[in-house]
Amino acid sequence: MRLDKFLKISRIIKRRSVAKEVADKGRIQINGKLAKSSSDVKVGDTMRIQFGNKVLEVKVNELHESTKKKDAAKMYEIVSEERISENA
């Protein structure tokens, strides 16, 4: 599954266009490698996403073509979440 589609369906990022933009700016890594919006996501992958002053690390548990809101969180588990100070 494409990275931008996974981020939208799992509701980590609400809109696919925003997910594409974040990925294309080099703010997402899959298994330690820089990822583009078209990168392939597989079950077991570890993803590191940088949102402004927050870094979210998630592990992919499931892939679905579509989900209901209550099931979206089952697609991934949060490994770590950290805030980045602005003066770092």
Side-chain angles (χ1 to χ4, degrees):
M1 177 181 287
R2 284 177 55 110
L3 173 60
D4 55 353
K5 185 172 182 181
F6 174 81
L7 292 171
K8 178 192 178 295
I9 290 174
S10 65
R11 292 176 169 80
I12 294 173
I13 296 178
K14 301 291 186 238
R15 287 188 294 287
R16 191 167 176 176
S17 59
V18 175
K20 181 181 184 328
E21 187 179 318
V22 170
D24 292 344
K25 285 186 177 175
R27 295 185 181 166
I28 301 178
Q29 295 177 356
I30 298 176
N31 300 326
K33 294 184 184 140
L34 208 56
K36 293 188 286 189
S37 58
S38 60
S39 296
D40 209 31
V41 176
K42 297 178 285 308
V43 173
D45 283 350
T46 303
M47 207 178 294
R48 185 177 168 90
I49 308 159
Q50 185 176 340
F51 302 95
N53 64 344
K54 184 171 87 170
V55 175
L56 183 67
E57 196 166 326
V58 298
K59 183 173 183 242
V60 179
N61 291 334
E62 303 173 11
L63 296 176
H64 300 291
E65 288 302 311
S66 65
T67 59
K68 293 192 169 25
K69 190 171 186 177
K70 63 183 175 80
D71 297 330
K74 296 177 186 171
M75 291 180 68
Y76 63 93
E77 74 181 75
I78 297 175
V79 176
S80 70
E81 188 173 349
E82 59 185 87
R83 294 236 175 256
I84 304 169
S85 62
E86 292 180 20
N87 55 3

